[in-house]
Amino acid sequence: MTLLKNWQVMPKDLFAMGAIVPVLVINKVEDALPIAEALLAADIKVLEVTLRTPAALDVISLIAKELPEAIIGSGTVTNRQQLQQSVDAGAKFAISPGLTKDLLKAGNEGNIALIPGISSISELMDASDYGYDHLKFFPAEASGGVNAIKSIGGPFPDIKFCPTGGINLNNVRDYLALPNVACCGGSWLVSNKIVETKDWRQITKLAKEALAHVR
Ligand code: 3PG
């Protein structure tokens, strides 16, 4: 089993680049650059574009090409085909809501960081067997939230998490206070409503507020 990773950016560095990772669901390619620019204006560089829309791969390619200062990654990657499509689009990392052994294997063979998702100890142990120690915890609030991650830190202190799912301005500080949480993901900075009204300044405002709140 290959455990050595030949990744361009390592998860440890990604997790250290920003306490808040916006989880983006972008339906229209034309919205990609204004959204990414609005986040960059607030000094948020690590962006996750979920593969939940037909536009997602084009959105990733465009941001990768036009905004090299952004660290653009793909989200909702559930199999090795989507991991390869992410690489081809120019993603610098990939995040999965869960894991399969085949995806863990593909991640180890690939050249961009894979952050697998877990919500149970057995999944964590599978990830760990394949050499993954930076994981997404999803769906965070529904899976026990802060208390669950705190408890996992007992037997597995070396595993670092980026929890997502139900995280917002009201609870993000509680997560970030845990020693095994490096950053948190969430969709609240870029809601559908904001995108529909193309209120890009509001994205920068919310992002700055969020960063000030966790500093
Ligand atoms: C994810 O994919 O990480 C989640 O959908 C983000 O969850 P949220 O919408 O509750 O922030």
Side-chain angles (χ1 to χ4, degrees), residues 23 25 48 50 52 76 97 136 138 164-168 185-188:
V23 175
V25 183
E48 174 188 340
T50 60
R52 290 182 213 169
T76 327
K136 168 166 167 149
F138 177 81
T164 80
I167 299 184
N168 53 48
S187 61
W188 87 94

Side-chain angles (χ1 to χ4, degrees), residues 87-101:
V87 172
D88 295 342
K92 297 187 171 73
F93 64 92
I95 304 191
S96 175
L99 56 80
T100 65
K101 292 191 178 158

Side-chain angles (χ1 to χ4, degrees), residues 78-156:
T78 59
N79 56 48
R80 73 162 59 227
Q81 287 75 20
Q82 288 176 330
L83 181 60
Q84 187 56 48
Q85 288 170 333
S86 306
V87 172
D88 295 342
K92 297 187 171 73
F93 64 92
I95 304 191
S96 175
L99 56 80
T100 65
K101 292 191 178 158
D102 191 52
L103 182 61
L104 295 174
K105 239 174 110 200
N108 280 345
E109 292 158 7
N111 65 355
I112 64 167
L114 172 69
I115 317 288
I118 69 124
S119 62
S120 76
I121 299 299
S122 301
E123 291 158 354
L124 181 155
M125 287 163 59
D126 274 339
S128 192
D129 276 354
Y130 282 76
Y132 292 80
D133 54 9
H134 286 73
L135 307 175
K136 168 166 167 149
F137 184 74
F138 177 81
E141 280 290 287
S143 308
V146 167
N147 285 337
I149 300 175
K150 196 190 274 178
S151 304
I152 293 170
F156 303 101

